Amino acid sequence: SIALISLVDADRQWFKSRLGVDLAETPRDVAFCAHAILEPGAVMVVEDARQDARFSDNPLVRNAPHAQFYAGAPIVTNDGFALGTVCVIDRQPRQLSPDQRKSLKALADLVGTLMEHEKLSQEAAERNSAQAREQADIVSAMVNNALDLKSFVDTQYTYRAVNKAYSDYWQRDRKDIEGKTLTELLGKASFETLVKPYMDRAFAGETVHFETPFTFPGKGERHMEVSYLPALSRQGHILGVVVRAHDIQQRVEREKKLRETVAMLEHKTLEQERFIHIVSHDLREPINTINNFVSLLSGDNEPGLSSSGKRFLGFVAAGGERMKTLLDDLLEFLRLERHAVDKRSIDLAHLVAEVRDDLSASLASTGGRVEFGHLPMAYGDPSLLRIALQNLVSNGLKFRTEGIAPVVMISASIEADQLKIAIRDNGIGMADDQTDRIFEMFQRLHTRAAYAGTGLGLSITRRIAELHDGRITVTSAPAKGSCFTLALPVPSRNTEEKDGHEFL
C-alpha cells in the first residue's frame, strides 16, 4: 500500500517520491531504510516488523502508517555509495518471491541509473552540449534491466538501444542490432505491413498498443503484446519511440485451452441433459409399468397364485421398487450439476428441525430420536443442505445396532473460517479402511438384504459439500458409531453485504 524512493542523510530520511503516505521525511533513527543501506548489494526484507526486535517498538510500526511489512533495495551510485532505497511497505505481513526481489533490485538500479543520467544531463547542459542531453534522454527513456523486450528507435527507424531480453529473443549481440534500421532486422515486408503504420502514429505523439504473433530466432513463434511510447526531449520534440514488447504466449495458450475446455463442457452438458431425459422418461416408464402390474397382481390375482408364484412376484415387486429408488437417487445426483447454488444465511436449528420432521416415519418405526441444542447460523443453499443433512441423519437411523434405539446427535462450531456441522450416531460404525470409499457412487458396505439403499446418498452429500466449496469427512469404529463432519466456509463481511444477508 506504500511505495517510496527514500534518500538518507546524517539525520533524516526524506522522500524523493512517495505513494500511499503523506509524510515528507522522518528522523533517521526510526528509518527502516537506514538499516537497508548498510548492505548496498542486498534487498532487505522485514516480513513482520512486529516480530522483529529492531522494529517492534518503532513508532512507524506502532503508530501511523502502521508498517508491518518492509522491503527495500539500496540505490547505489557508480562508486558504491548507498544514497537511499526504493522500498515498499504494507500494513500487513507479507513475503517476497525471488523474482520480486530481483524486480525491486532492478527498480533501485534504475533509480540509481536515472540519478546518474540526471547528473550527466546537468553537466551536459552546463557544457551546452545538445548531443549529451539527447543521449541522456534516450538512456533515461529505456529500462535496460527488464524481462520485457525494450528498445529505442529514433525518427529514422534506426535502433539506438536495446535491452538484454531484446537481444536474447533475436539471438544477437546488442552491437549487432543497435545502429541498424528496422528494415534490416525485421525485413521489408514485416516492417512495411506490421510495424511502420503503428510507429508512424507514435512519431505523431500517440501511444499505441497492439497484439501480434511474431517468429523470433531465439524463441520461435510467440504472441506479443506491443506498446509504442513516444519519447520527448526536454523541449517537447519527438526523439523517437520506446518499444515495449511483452510475451503473452502462455496467456494465449491458456485462453485457447480454456475455450476448448468450455466447448467440451458444453458438449458434456448436452450429453448429460440427454441422459437425464432418458432416465426421467424412457427408463422410468417401463419401471412404472412393471410396478403397476405387480401391484394389480398382488391385489386381485394373488390368491390364485401358487406359493412359488407369490414368492417370485415378491421378488419382482422388490426389484421394481429398488430400481425406482435408484433412478430417483441418480436423477437427484445428476441434477445437482444443474442446480444454481443460492447461498444465504440459514437458521441451522430450524433446518435440522425440518429434517427431523421429514424423517418422522423412520423415527417412529425405529424408536429413534434426533438430538440437537443451540446451533449457529449457517450460510449456504437451504434446499441442498437440507438434502445433505437428511441423508446423513437417515444413515444414522438406518445403520443401527440391533436391539438399541438409534440416536443421532447434531452439533456445530465455528473454527477459523469454517462452520463444522457434526452428525454423530450410535450405530454399527465401520472400519478405518472403509471410510475412504463410502462417498463413491454405488458403494455399499452391506448387502441389500441387511440394509436397503442405492449407495448414492453419501455421493450426493459429498457433491453438495463441494458445491458449497466445503468438504465432508467421517470418523468411525466398528460397534462405536460414526461421526460425519460437514465443513462449510464462513462468509466474509463483504460477501454478506453483497448477498444482502447477515451471518451471525
Side-chain angles (χ1 to χ4, degrees):
S1 56
I2 298 173
L4 303 168
I5 297 178
S6 174
L7 302 180
V8 182
D9 62 22
D11 302 315
R12 61 174 182 146
Q13 70 168 351
W14 62 279
F15 306 134
K16 175 67 176 174
S17 183
R18 64 184 186 269
L19 179 68
V21 67
D22 293 327
L23 294 173
E25 63 179 62
T26 71
R28 176 170 176 150
D29 58 1
V30 301
F32 284 57
C33 299
H35 294 264
I37 64 174
L38 299 179
E39 294 187 53
V43 175
M44 188 181 90
V45 177
V46 180
E47 296 179 354
D48 189 347
R50 298 170 303 176
Q51 307 301 321
D52 193 307
R54 297 171 296 175
F55 306 110
S56 58
D57 291 328
N58 191 299
L60 300 178
V61 176
R62 299 173 65 87
N63 306 314
H66 300 288
Q68 292 187 31
F69 168 81
Y70 171 89
I75 302 168
V76 184
T77 63
N78 288 340
D79 56 2
F81 184 75
L83 298 176
T85 69
V86 173
C87 63
V88 289
I89 299 170
D90 209 346
R91 297 180 176 91
Q92 61 183 358
R94 288 191 178 277
Q95 294 178 336
L96 289 188
S97 68
D99 285 342
Q100 289 173 320
R101 287 173 179 261
K102 291 179 182 178
S103 297
L104 191 60
K105 179 67 166 58
L107 288 172
D109 292 344
L110 172 61
V111 173
T113 300
L114 291 175
M115 288 183 173
E116 293 288 349
H117 292 159
E118 181 67 13
K119 177 183 177 181
L120 292 175
S121 179
Q122 291 178 4
E123 293 173 350
E126 293 170 358
R127 298 193 303 268
N128 196 25
S129 172
Q131 182 179 359
R133 288 197 304 272
E134 181 178 331
Q135 184 63 27
D137 288 334
I138 290 173
V139 176
S140 298
M142 189 185 74
V143 179
N144 284 318
N145 190 12
L147 297 177
D148 290 339
L149 285 68
K150 293 193 175 183
S151 62
F152 184 87
V153 178
D154 67 16
T155 54
Q156 303 303 312
Y157 307 103
T158 300
Y159 288 105
R160 291 304 177 191
V162 299
N163 69 347
K164 185 177 183 301
Y166 201 100
S167 62
D168 288 345
Y169 269 64
W170 281 97
Q171 229 171 26
R172 296 191 183 189
D173 291 334
R174 294 185 190 180
K175 60 180 174 35
D176 295 329
I177 300 177
E178 294 172 353
K180 287 185 169 54
T181 64
L182 272 67
T183 302
E184 292 175 311
L185 187 67
L186 306 178
K188 184 175 181 180
S190 295
F191 171 70
E192 293 288 344
T193 60
L194 180 62
V195 174
K196 189 175 184 300
Y198 294 114
M199 190 156 286
D200 286 345
R201 288 164 56 187
F203 284 145
E206 179 184 351
T207 298
V208 182
H209 304 282
F210 63 96
E211 295 182 10
T212 182
F214 200 87
T215 301
F216 294 93
K219 295 290 184 177
E221 184 172 346
R222 312 295 292 180
H223 206 93
M224 307 299 292
E225 184 179 68
V226 184
S227 298
Y228 288 162
L229 311 173
L232 304 177
S233 69
R234 296 176 184 275
Q235 292 75 30
H237 303 308
I238 292 288
L239 296 174
V241 171
V242 175
V243 180
R244 173 188 175 274
H246 180 58
D247 190 334
I248 58 172
Q249 183 65 29
Q250 290 185 350
R251 190 192 79 187
V252 171
E253 291 174 354
R254 287 195 298 268
E255 290 174 349
K256 179 182 177 182
K257 187 175 181 179
L258 179 60
R259 288 193 297 270
E260 293 172 350
T261 302
V262 170
M264 179 187 68
L265 290 175
E266 290 175 346
H267 175 72
K268 286 185 177 294
T269 299
L270 292 175
E271 290 295 318
Q272 187 185 65
E273 292 286 343
R274 181 171 174 271
F275 181 68
I276 290 176
H277 179 80
I278 291 172
V279 173
S280 299
H281 301 280
D282 299 352
L283 292 182
R284 189 185 293 276
E285 181 181 355
I287 291 172
N288 288 339
T289 300
I290 292 171
N291 289 341
N292 289 337
F293 278 102
V294 166
S295 178
L296 292 175
L297 287 173
S298 299
D300 298 337
N301 298 288
E302 186 174 5
L305 296 175
S306 65
S307 59
S308 296
K310 292 177 180 179
R311 186 162 61 91
F312 295 153
L313 184 61
F315 292 155
V316 174
E321 286 301 319
R322 284 200 305 271
M323 182 59 74
K324 181 178 180 298
T325 302
L326 177 61
L327 286 179
D328 290 341
D329 286 351
L330 184 59
L331 280 172
E332 185 172 14
F333 182 83
L334 293 174
R335 284 167 178 160
L336 285 176
E337 301 304 320
R338 299 187 303 166
H339 187 96
V341 180
D342 181 18
K343 295 182 181 180
R344 62 186 66 187
S345 186
I346 304 170
D347 185 339
L348 186 56
H350 180 72
L351 187 66
V352 170
E354 290 181 336
V355 170
R356 182 183 57 189
D357 294 341
D358 293 340
L359 298 173
S360 57
S362 295
L363 289 169
S365 64
T366 61
R369 64 182 189 273
V370 176
E371 297 180 353
F372 62 95
H374 172 75
L375 296 175
M377 298 294 287
Y379 186 78
D381 187 305
S383 62
L384 292 183
L385 292 182
R386 184 170 179 171
I387 293 171
L389 291 175
Q390 184 170 316
N391 284 338
L392 295 173
V393 174
S394 178
N395 276 356
L397 299 176
K398 180 195 302 183
F399 296 102
R400 61 187 183 276
T401 302
E402 187 68 27
I404 299 176
V407 178
V408 179
M409 294 169 288
I410 301 175
S411 60
S413 62
I414 297 176
E415 301 178 15
D417 58 349
Q418 287 190 323
L419 170 65
K420 293 187 175 181
I421 307 172
I423 300 89
R424 188 183 305 274
D425 63 59
N426 63 340
I428 60 175
M430 69 191 85
D432 285 340
D433 59 356
Q434 296 175 323
T435 57
D436 291 335
R437 61 188 181 93
I438 60 173
F439 297 103
E440 300 299 327
M441 293 181 65
F442 304 112
Q443 287 293 324
R444 298 176 56 89
L445 303 183
H446 308 279
T447 65
R448 290 190 180 91
Y451 297 98
T454 62
L456 278 172
L458 289 178
S459 299
I460 292 171
T461 302
R462 181 180 66 174
R463 186 58 187 142
I464 290 173
E466 292 171 348
L467 290 172
H468 284 79
D469 298 320
R471 63 191 182 95
I472 184 168
T473 57
V474 61
T475 57
S476 185
K480 294 185 178 180
S482 302
C483 180
F484 289 85
T485 301
L486 179 61
L488 304 174
V490 171
S492 65
R493 176 60 61 180
N494 291 338
T495 302
E496 297 163 26
E497 293 174 353
K498 179 181 178 181
D499 292 347
H501 305 291
E502 185 174 3
F503 182 88
L504 298 176

